[in-house]
Coordinates of all heavy atoms in Angstrom, one line a residue:
T1 N 4.5 9.0 -0.4 CA 5.2 8.4 -1.5 C 6.5 7.8 -0.9 O 7.0 8.2 0.1 CB 5.6 9.4 -2.6 OG1 6.4 10.5 -2.0 CG2 4.3 10.0 -3.3
A2 N 7.0 6.8 -1.7 CA 8.3 6.2 -1.3 C 8.9 5.6 -2.5 O 8.3 5.4 -3.5 CB 8.0 5.1 -0.3
V3 N 10.2 5.4 -2.4 CA 11.0 4.6 -3.4 C 11.3 3.3 -2.8 O 11.9 3.2 -1.7 CB 12.2 5.4 -3.8 CG1 13.0 4.6 -4.9 CG2 11.9 6.8 -4.4
V4 N 10.9 2.2 -3.5 CA 11.1 0.9 -2.9 C 11.7 -0.1 -3.9 O 11.6 0.1 -5.1 CB 9.7 0.3 -2.5 CG1 9.0 1.1 -1.5 CG2 8.8 0.1 -3.7
R5 N 12.4 -1.1 -3.4 CA 13.0 -2.2 -4.1 C 12.5 -3.4 -3.4 O 12.7 -3.6 -2.2 CB 14.5 -2.1 -4.2 CG 15.1 -3.2 -5.0 CD 16.6 -3.1 -5.0 NE 17.2 -3.3 -3.7 CZ 17.4 -4.5 -3.1 NH1 17.2 -5.6 -3.8 NH2 17.9 -4.6 -1.9
V6 N 11.9 -4.3 -4.2 CA 11.4 -5.6 -3.6 C 12.6 -6.6 -3.5 O 13.3 -6.8 -4.5 CB 10.3 -6.2 -4.5 CG1 9.8 -7.5 -3.9 CG2 9.1 -5.2 -4.5
D7 N 12.8 -7.1 -2.4 CA 13.8 -8.2 -2.2 C 13.2 -9.5 -2.7 O 12.2 -10.0 -2.2 CB 14.2 -8.3 -0.7 CG 15.2 -9.3 -0.4 OD1 15.6 -10.1 -1.3 OD2 15.7 -9.3 0.8
G8 N 13.9 -10.1 -3.7 CA 13.4 -11.3 -4.3 C 13.4 -12.5 -3.4 O 12.8 -13.5 -3.7
T9 N 14.2 -12.4 -2.3 CA 14.3 -13.6 -1.4 C 13.5 -13.5 -0.2 O 13.3 -14.5 0.6 CB 15.8 -13.8 -1.0 OG1 16.2 -12.6 -0.2 CG2 16.7 -13.9 -2.2
A10 N 12.8 -12.4 0.1 CA 12.0 -12.2 1.3 C 10.7 -12.8 1.1 O 10.1 -12.9 0.0 CB 11.9 -10.7 1.6
A11 N 10.1 -13.3 2.2 CA 8.8 -13.9 2.2 C 7.9 -13.1 3.1 O 8.3 -12.4 4.0 CB 8.9 -15.4 2.7
G12 N 6.6 -13.3 2.9 CA 5.6 -12.6 3.8 C 5.3 -11.2 3.3 O 5.9 -10.7 2.3
N13 N 4.5 -10.5 4.1 CA 4.2 -9.1 3.8 C 5.4 -8.2 4.2 O 6.0 -8.4 5.3 CB 3.0 -8.6 4.6 CG 1.7 -9.3 4.1 OD1 1.7 -9.8 2.9 ND2 0.7 -9.3 4.9
R14 N 5.8 -7.3 3.4 CA 6.9 -6.4 3.6 C 6.4 -5.0 3.7 O 6.0 -4.4 2.7 CB 8.0 -6.6 2.5 CG 8.7 -7.9 2.7 CD 9.0 -8.7 1.5 NE 7.8 -9.1 0.7 CZ 7.8 -9.4 -0.6 NH1 9.0 -9.3 -1.2 NH2 6.7 -9.7 -1.2
T15 N 6.5 -4.3 4.8 CA 5.9 -3.0 5.0 C 6.7 -2.0 4.3 O 8.0 -1.9 4.4 CB 5.9 -2.7 6.5 OG1 5.1 -3.6 7.2 CG2 5.4 -1.3 6.8
V16 N 6.0 -1.1 3.6 CA 6.6 0.1 2.9 C 6.5 1.3 3.9 O 7.5 1.9 4.2 CB 6.0 0.4 1.6 CG1 6.5 1.6 1.0 CG2 6.1 -0.8 0.6
F17 N 5.3 1.5 4.3 CA 5.1 2.5 5.4 C 3.7 2.3 6.1 O 2.9 1.6 5.5 CB 5.2 4.0 5.0 CG 4.5 4.4 3.7 CD1 3.2 4.8 3.8 CD2 5.1 4.3 2.5 CE1 2.5 5.2 2.6 CE2 4.4 4.7 1.3 CZ 3.1 5.1 1.4
S18 N 3.6 2.7 7.3 CA 2.4 2.5 8.1 C 2.3 3.7 9.1 O 3.3 4.2 9.6 CB 2.6 1.2 8.9 OG 1.5 0.9 9.7
K19 N 1.1 4.0 9.4 CA 0.8 5.1 10.3 C -0.5 4.9 11.0 O -1.5 4.6 10.4 CB 0.8 6.5 9.5 CG 0.5 7.7 10.4 CD 1.7 8.0 11.3 CE 1.4 9.3 12.0 NZ 2.3 9.6 13.0
A20 N -0.5 5.2 12.3 CA -1.7 5.1 13.1 C -1.9 6.5 13.7 O -1.0 7.2 14.1 CB -1.7 4.1 14.2
Y21 N -3.2 7.0 13.8 CA -3.5 8.3 14.4 C -4.3 8.1 15.7 O -5.2 7.2 15.7 CB -4.3 9.1 13.4 CG -3.5 9.5 12.2 CD1 -3.5 8.7 11.1 CD2 -2.7 10.6 12.2 CE1 -2.8 9.1 9.9 CE2 -1.9 11.0 11.1 CZ -2.0 10.2 10.0 OH -1.3 10.5 8.9
G22 N -4.1 8.9 16.7 CA -4.9 8.8 17.9 C -4.7 7.5 18.6 O -3.6 6.8 18.5
A23 N -5.7 7.0 19.2 CA -5.7 5.7 19.9 C -6.1 4.6 18.9 O -7.0 3.8 19.1 CB -6.7 5.7 21.1
S24 N -5.4 4.6 17.7 CA -5.7 3.7 16.7 C -7.1 3.8 16.1 O -7.7 2.8 15.6 CB -5.4 2.2 17.1 OG -4.1 2.1 17.4
D25 N -7.7 5.0 16.2 CA -9.0 5.2 15.6 C -8.9 5.2 14.1 O -9.9 4.9 13.4 CB -9.5 6.6 16.0 CG -9.9 6.6 17.5 OD1 -10.2 5.6 18.0 OD2 -9.8 7.7 18.1
F26 N -7.7 5.5 13.5 CA -7.5 5.5 12.1 C -6.1 5.1 11.8 O -5.2 5.6 12.4 CB -7.8 6.9 11.5 CG -7.6 7.0 10.0 CD1 -8.5 6.7 9.2 CD2 -6.4 7.5 9.5 CE1 -8.3 6.8 7.8 CE2 -6.1 7.6 8.2 CZ -7.1 7.2 7.3
E27 N -5.9 4.1 10.9 CA -4.6 3.7 10.6 C -4.5 3.3 9.1 O -5.5 2.9 8.5 CB -4.1 2.6 11.5 CG -4.8 1.3 11.3 CD -4.3 0.2 12.2 OE1 -3.3 -0.5 11.8 OE2 -4.8 0.1 13.4
F28 N -3.3 3.5 8.5 CA -3.1 3.0 7.2 C -1.8 2.2 7.1 O -0.9 2.4 7.9 CB -3.2 4.1 6.1 CG -2.1 5.1 6.2 CD1 -0.9 4.8 5.4 CD2 -2.2 6.2 6.9 CE1 0.1 5.7 5.5 CE2 -1.1 7.1 6.9 CZ 0.0 6.9 6.2
N29 N -1.8 1.2 6.2 CA -0.6 0.4 5.9 C -0.4 0.2 4.4 O -1.4 0.0 3.7 CB -0.8 -1.0 6.6 CG -1.1 -0.9 8.0 OD1 -0.2 -0.5 8.8 ND2 -2.3 -1.3 8.5
V30 N 0.8 0.3 4.0 CA 1.2 0.1 2.6 C 2.3 -1.0 2.7 O 3.3 -0.8 3.4 CB 1.7 1.3 1.9 CG1 2.1 1.0 0.5 CG2 0.6 2.4 1.9
F31 N 2.1 -2.1 2.0 CA 3.0 -3.2 2.0 C 3.0 -3.9 0.7 O 2.1 -3.8 -0.1 CB 2.8 -4.1 3.2 CG 1.4 -4.8 3.2 CD1 1.3 -6.0 2.6 CD2 0.3 -4.2 3.8 CE1 0.0 -6.7 2.6 CE2 -0.9 -4.8 3.8 CZ -1.1 -6.1 3.2
V32 N 4.1 -4.7 0.5 CA 4.2 -5.6 -0.6 C 3.9 -7.0 -0.1 O 4.4 -7.5 0.9 CB 5.6 -5.6 -1.2 CG1 5.7 -6.6 -2.4 CG2 6.0 -4.2 -1.7
N33 N 2.9 -7.7 -0.8 CA 2.5 -9.0 -0.3 C 3.3 -10.1 -0.9 O 4.3 -9.9 -1.6 CB 1.0 -9.2 -0.6 CG 0.6 -9.3 -2.1 OD1 1.5 -9.5 -2.9 ND2 -0.7 -9.2 -2.4
N34 N 3.0 -11.4 -0.6 CA 3.7 -12.5 -1.1 C 3.8 -12.6 -2.6 O 4.8 -13.2 -3.1 CB 3.1 -13.8 -0.6 CG 3.4 -14.1 0.9 OD1 4.5 -13.7 1.4 ND2 2.5 -14.8 1.6
S35 N 2.9 -12.0 -3.3 CA 2.9 -12.1 -4.8 C 3.6 -10.9 -5.4 O 3.5 -10.6 -6.6 CB 1.4 -12.1 -5.3 OG 0.8 -13.3 -4.8
N36 N 4.2 -10.1 -4.5 CA 4.9 -8.8 -4.9 C 4.0 -7.8 -5.5 O 4.4 -6.9 -6.3 CB 6.1 -9.1 -5.9 CG 7.2 -9.8 -5.2 OD1 7.4 -9.8 -4.0 ND2 8.1 -10.4 -6.0
H37 N 2.7 -7.8 -5.0 CA 1.8 -6.7 -5.3 C 1.8 -5.7 -4.2 O 1.9 -6.1 -3.0 CB 0.4 -7.3 -5.5 CG 0.2 -8.1 -6.8 ND1 0.5 -9.4 -6.8 CD2 -0.2 -7.7 -8.0 CE1 0.3 -9.9 -8.0 NE2 -0.1 -8.9 -8.8
L38 N 1.6 -4.4 -4.6 CA 1.5 -3.4 -3.6 C 0.1 -3.4 -3.0 O -0.9 -3.4 -3.8 CB 1.8 -2.0 -4.2 CG 2.2 -0.9 -3.2 CD1 3.4 -1.2 -2.5 CD2 2.3 0.4 -4.0
V39 N -0.1 -3.3 -1.7 CA -1.4 -3.3 -1.0 C -1.5 -2.1 -0.2 O -0.5 -1.7 0.5 CB -1.5 -4.6 -0.1 CG1 -2.8 -4.6 0.6 CG2 -1.3 -5.9 -0.9
F40 N -2.7 -1.4 -0.2 CA -3.0 -0.2 0.6 C -4.2 -0.6 1.4 O -5.2 -0.9 0.9 CB -3.2 0.9 -0.4 CG -3.6 2.2 0.3 CD1 -3.2 2.5 1.6 CD2 -4.2 3.2 -0.4 CE1 -3.5 3.8 2.1 CE2 -4.6 4.4 0.1 CZ -4.2 4.7 1.4
Q41 N -4.0 -0.6 2.7 CA -5.1 -0.9 3.7 C -5.4 0.4 4.5 O -4.5 1.1 4.9 CB -4.6 -2.0 4.7 CG -4.6 -3.3 4.1 CD -4.2 -4.3 5.3 OE1 -3.7 -4.0 6.3 NE2 -4.6 -5.6 5.0
I42 N -6.7 0.5 4.8 CA -7.2 1.6 5.7 C -8.1 0.9 6.7 O -8.9 0.1 6.4 CB -8.0 2.6 5.0 CG1 -7.2 3.4 3.9 CG2 -8.7 3.6 5.9 CD1 -6.3 4.5 4.5
R43 N -7.9 1.3 8.0 CA -8.8 0.8 9.1 C -9.3 2.1 9.7 O -8.6 2.9 10.3 CB -8.0 0.0 10.1 CG -8.9 -0.7 11.1 CD -8.1 -1.5 12.1 NE -7.0 -2.3 11.5 CZ -7.0 -3.6 11.2 NH1 -8.1 -4.3 11.4 NH2 -5.9 -4.2 10.7
H44 N -10.6 2.3 9.7 CA -11.3 3.5 10.2 C -11.6 3.4 11.7 O -11.5 4.5 12.3 CB -12.6 3.7 9.5 CG -12.5 4.1 8.1 ND1 -12.1 5.4 7.6 CD2 -12.6 3.4 6.9 CE1 -12.1 5.4 6.3 NE2 -12.4 4.2 5.9
D45 N -11.9 2.3 12.2 CA -12.4 2.2 13.5 C -11.5 1.6 14.6 O -11.9 1.4 15.7 CB -13.7 1.4 13.5 CG -13.5 0.0 12.9 OD1 -12.4 -0.4 12.7 OD2 -14.5 -0.7 12.7
G46 N -10.2 1.4 14.2 CA -9.3 0.9 15.2 C -9.4 -0.6 15.4 O -8.7 -1.2 16.2
G47 N -10.3 -1.2 14.7 CA -10.5 -2.7 14.9 C -11.2 -3.2 13.7 O -11.5 -2.4 12.7
G48 N -11.6 -4.4 13.7 CA -12.3 -5.0 12.6 C -11.4 -5.2 11.3 O -10.2 -5.1 11.4
T49 N -12.1 -5.5 10.3 CA -11.4 -5.9 9.0 C -11.1 -4.6 8.3 O -11.9 -3.8 8.0 CB -12.3 -6.8 8.1 OG1 -12.6 -7.9 8.9 CG2 -11.6 -7.2 6.9
P50 N -9.8 -4.4 7.8 CA -9.5 -3.2 7.1 C -10.0 -3.2 5.6 O -10.2 -4.3 5.1 CB -8.0 -3.2 7.1 CG -7.6 -4.6 7.2 CD -8.7 -5.2 8.1
S51 N -10.3 -2.1 5.1 CA -10.5 -2.0 3.6 C -9.2 -1.9 2.9 O -8.2 -1.4 3.4 CB -11.3 -0.7 3.3 OG -12.5 -0.7 4.0
E52 N -9.1 -2.5 1.7 CA -7.9 -2.5 1.0 C -8.0 -2.6 -0.5 O -9.1 -3.0 -1.0 CB -7.0 -3.7 1.5 CG -7.4 -5.0 1.1 CD -6.5 -6.2 1.5 OE1 -5.7 -6.0 2.5 OE2 -6.4 -7.2 0.8
I53 N -7.0 -2.1 -1.2 CA -6.9 -2.4 -2.6 C -5.5 -2.9 -2.9 O -4.6 -2.7 -2.1 CB -7.2 -1.1 -3.4 CG1 -6.2 0.0 -3.1 CG2 -8.6 -0.6 -3.3 CD1 -6.2 1.2 -4.0
I54 N -5.4 -3.7 -4.0 CA -4.2 -4.3 -4.3 C -3.8 -3.9 -5.8 O -4.7 -4.0 -6.6 CB -4.3 -5.9 -4.2 CG1 -4.7 -6.3 -2.8 CG2 -3.0 -6.6 -4.6 CD1 -5.1 -7.7 -2.6
S55 N -2.6 -3.6 -6.0 CA -2.2 -3.2 -7.3 C -2.3 -4.4 -8.3 O -2.2 -5.5 -7.9 CB -0.7 -2.8 -7.3 OG 0.2 -3.9 -7.1
G56 N -2.6 -4.1 -9.5 CA -2.9 -5.1 -10.5 C -1.6 -5.6 -11.2 O -1.7 -6.5 -12.0
I57 N -0.4 -5.1 -10.7 CA 0.8 -5.6 -11.3 C 1.7 -6.1 -10.2 O 1.7 -5.6 -9.1 CB 1.5 -4.5 -12.2 CG1 1.9 -3.3 -11.3 CG2 0.6 -4.1 -13.4 CD1 2.8 -2.3 -12.1
S58 N 2.6 -7.0 -10.6 CA 3.6 -7.5 -9.6 C 4.9 -6.7 -9.8 O 5.3 -6.4 -10.9 CB 3.8 -9.0 -9.9 OG 4.8 -9.5 -9.1
L59 N 5.5 -6.3 -8.7 CA 6.8 -5.6 -8.8 C 7.9 -6.6 -9.0 O 8.0 -7.6 -8.3 CB 7.0 -4.8 -7.5 CG 5.9 -3.8 -7.1 CD1 6.3 -3.2 -5.7 CD2 5.7 -2.8 -8.1
D60 N 8.7 -6.3 -10.0 CA 9.9 -7.2 -10.3 C 10.9 -7.1 -9.2 O 11.3 -5.9 -8.8 CB 10.5 -6.8 -11.6 CG 9.6 -7.2 -12.8 OD1 8.9 -8.2 -12.7 OD2 9.7 -6.5 -13.8
P61 N 11.4 -8.2 -8.7 CA 12.5 -8.1 -7.6 C 13.7 -7.3 -8.1 O 14.1 -7.4 -9.3 CB 12.8 -9.6 -7.3 CG 11.6 -10.3 -7.8 CD 11.0 -9.5 -8.9
N62 N 14.3 -6.6 -7.2 CA 15.6 -6.0 -7.3 C 15.5 -4.8 -8.3 O 16.6 -4.3 -8.7 CB 16.7 -6.9 -7.7 CG 16.8 -8.0 -6.7 OD1 16.8 -7.7 -5.5 ND2 16.8 -9.3 -7.1
L63 N 14.3 -4.3 -8.7 CA 14.2 -3.0 -9.4 C 13.6 -2.0 -8.5 O 12.9 -2.3 -7.5 CB 13.2 -3.2 -10.6 CG 13.7 -4.2 -11.7 CD1 12.6 -4.2 -12.8 CD2 15.0 -3.7 -12.3
W64 N 13.9 -0.7 -8.7 CA 13.4 0.4 -7.9 C 12.2 0.9 -8.5 O 12.0 1.1 -9.7 CB 14.5 1.5 -7.8 CG 15.6 1.1 -7.0 CD1 16.8 0.5 -7.4 CD2 15.7 1.2 -5.5 NE1 17.6 0.3 -6.3 CE2 17.0 0.7 -5.2 CE3 14.9 1.6 -4.5 CZ2 17.4 0.6 -3.8 CZ3 15.3 1.5 -3.2 CH2 16.5 1.0 -2.9
Y65 N 11.2 1.3 -7.6 CA 9.9 1.8 -8.1 C 9.6 3.0 -7.2 O 9.8 3.0 -6.0 CB 8.8 0.8 -7.9 CG 8.9 -0.4 -8.8 CD1 9.6 -1.5 -8.3 CD2 8.3 -0.4 -10.0 CE1 9.7 -2.7 -9.1 CE2 8.4 -1.5 -10.8 CZ 9.1 -2.7 -10.4 OH 9.2 -3.8 -11.2
G66 N 9.0 4.0 -7.8 CA 8.3 5.1 -7.0 C 6.9 4.7 -6.8 O 6.2 4.5 -7.7
V67 N 6.5 4.6 -5.5 CA 5.1 4.2 -5.2 C 4.4 5.3 -4.4 O 5.1 6.1 -3.6 CB 5.1 2.9 -4.5 CG1 5.7 1.8 -5.3 CG2 5.7 3.0 -3.1
G68 N 3.2 5.5 -4.6 CA 2.4 6.5 -3.9 C 0.9 6.0 -3.7 O 0.5 5.1 -4.5
V69 N 0.3 6.5 -2.7 CA -1.1 6.1 -2.4 C -1.9 7.4 -2.1 O -1.3 8.3 -1.5 CB -1.3 5.1 -1.3 CG1 -0.6 3.8 -1.7 CG2 -0.7 5.6 0.0
T70 N -3.1 7.4 -2.4 CA -4.0 8.5 -1.9 C -5.3 7.9 -1.4 O -5.7 6.8 -1.7 CB -4.4 9.5 -3.0 OG1 -5.1 8.8 -4.1 CG2 -3.1 10.1 -3.6
F71 N -5.9 8.7 -0.4 CA -7.2 8.3 0.1 C -8.0 9.5 0.4 O -7.6 10.5 1.0 CB -7.0 7.5 1.5 CG -8.3 7.2 2.2 CD1 -9.1 6.2 1.6 CD2 -8.6 7.8 3.3 CE1 -10.3 5.9 2.3 CE2 -9.8 7.5 4.0 CZ -10.6 6.5 3.5
D72 N -9.3 9.5 -0.1 CA -10.2 10.6 0.1 C -11.2 10.1 1.1 O -12.1 9.2 0.7 CB -10.9 11.0 -1.3 CG -11.8 12.1 -1.1 OD1 -12.4 12.4 0.0 OD2 -12.0 12.8 -2.1
D73 N -11.2 10.6 2.3 CA -12.1 10.2 3.4 C -13.5 10.5 3.0 O -14.4 9.7 3.4 CB -11.7 10.8 4.7 CG -12.3 10.2 5.9 OD1 -12.6 8.9 5.9 OD2 -12.6 10.9 6.9
T74 N -13.8 11.6 2.3 CA -15.2 11.9 2.0 C -15.8 10.9 1.1 O -17.0 10.5 1.3 CB -15.2 13.3 1.4 OG1 -14.6 14.3 2.2 CG2 -16.6 13.8 1.1
S75 N -15.1 10.5 0.0 CA -15.7 9.5 -0.9 C -15.2 8.1 -0.7 O -15.7 7.2 -1.4 CB -15.3 9.9 -2.3 OG -13.9 9.9 -2.5
D76 N -14.3 7.9 0.3 CA -13.8 6.6 0.6 C -13.1 6.0 -0.6 O -13.1 4.8 -0.8 CB -14.9 5.7 1.1 CG -14.4 4.7 2.2 OD1 -13.5 5.1 2.9 OD2 -15.0 3.6 2.3
A77 N -12.4 6.8 -1.3 CA -11.7 6.4 -2.6 C -10.2 6.2 -2.3 O -9.5 7.1 -1.8 CB -11.9 7.4 -3.7
F78 N -9.7 5.0 -2.7 CA -8.3 4.6 -2.6 C -7.7 4.7 -4.0 O -8.3 4.4 -5.0 CB -8.1 3.2 -2.2 CG -8.6 2.8 -0.9 CD1 -10.0 2.7 -0.6 CD2 -7.7 2.4 0.1 CE1 -10.4 2.2 0.6 CE2 -8.1 2.0 1.3 CZ -9.5 1.9 1.6
K79 N -6.4 5.0 -4.1 CA -5.7 4.9 -5.3 C -4.2 4.5 -5.0 O -3.7 4.9 -4.0 CB -5.6 6.3 -6.1 CG -7.0 6.7 -6.6 CD -6.9 8.0 -7.3 CE -8.3 8.4 -7.7 NZ -8.3 9.7 -8.4
I80 N -3.7 3.7 -5.9 CA -2.3 3.3 -5.8 C -1.6 3.7 -7.1 O -2.1 3.5 -8.2 CB -2.1 1.8 -5.7 CG1 -2.6 1.3 -4.3 CG2 -0.6 1.4 -5.8 CD1 -2.6 -0.2 -4.2
Y81 N -0.4 4.3 -7.0 CA 0.4 4.8 -8.1 C 1.8 4.1 -8.1 O 2.4 3.9 -7.0 CB 0.6 6.3 -8.1 CG -0.6 7.1 -8.2 CD1 -1.4 7.4 -7.0 CD2 -1.1 7.6 -9.4 CE1 -2.5 8.2 -7.1 CE2 -2.2 8.3 -9.5 CZ -2.9 8.6 -8.3 OH -4.1 9.4 -8.4
I82 N 2.2 3.6 -9.2 CA 3.6 3.0 -9.3 C 4.3 3.8 -10.5 O 3.7 3.8 -11.6 CB 3.5 1.5 -9.6 CG1 2.9 0.8 -8.4 CG2 5.0 1.0 -9.8 CD1 2.7 -0.7 -8.5
D83 N 5.4 4.4 -10.2 CA 6.1 5.2 -11.1 C 5.2 6.2 -11.8 O 5.3 6.5 -13.0 CB 6.8 4.3 -12.2 CG 8.0 3.5 -11.6 OD1 8.5 3.9 -10.6 OD2 8.3 2.4 -12.2
G84 N 4.4 6.9 -11.0 CA 3.5 8.0 -11.5 C 2.3 7.5 -12.2 O 1.5 8.4 -12.6
V85 N 2.0 6.3 -12.4 CA 0.9 5.8 -13.1 C -0.1 5.1 -12.1 O 0.3 4.3 -11.3 CB 1.3 4.7 -14.2 CG1 0.1 4.2 -14.9 CG2 2.3 5.3 -15.2
Q86 N -1.4 5.5 -12.2 CA -2.4 4.9 -11.3 C -2.6 3.5 -11.8 O -2.9 3.2 -12.9 CB -3.7 5.7 -11.4 CG -4.7 5.1 -10.5 CD -6.0 5.9 -10.6 OE1 -6.1 7.1 -10.8 NE2 -7.1 5.2 -10.4
V87 N -2.4 2.6 -10.8 CA -2.5 1.1 -11.2 C -3.7 0.4 -10.4 O -4.0 -0.7 -10.7 CB -1.2 0.4 -10.9 CG1 -0.1 0.9 -11.8 CG2 -0.8 0.5 -9.4
A88 N -4.3 1.1 -9.5 CA -5.5 0.6 -8.8 C -6.3 1.7 -8.1 O -5.8 2.7 -7.8 CB -5.0 -0.4 -7.7
S89 N -7.6 1.4 -8.1 CA -8.5 2.4 -7.4 C -9.8 1.6 -7.0 O -10.0 0.5 -7.4 CB -8.9 3.6 -8.3 OG -9.6 3.1 -9.4

């Protein structure tokens, strides 16, 4: 989880948090895209195209949001939460 504020003047993908495990065998990235949507990406194999989900709502610039993500490796299920409400799965 993180508390984020989108900068209304920034362009491109803006990283919220990112983590790689081992020799990049598994990594995840959470970022805000050009449309101010929260994106959650998972890469299982250290290469190739990542799996991702994108929030269905745009974050308003200069407001604070509590954001969280979950991933269940067994079922390959992603979820994005904004201010405690699930907004994508």
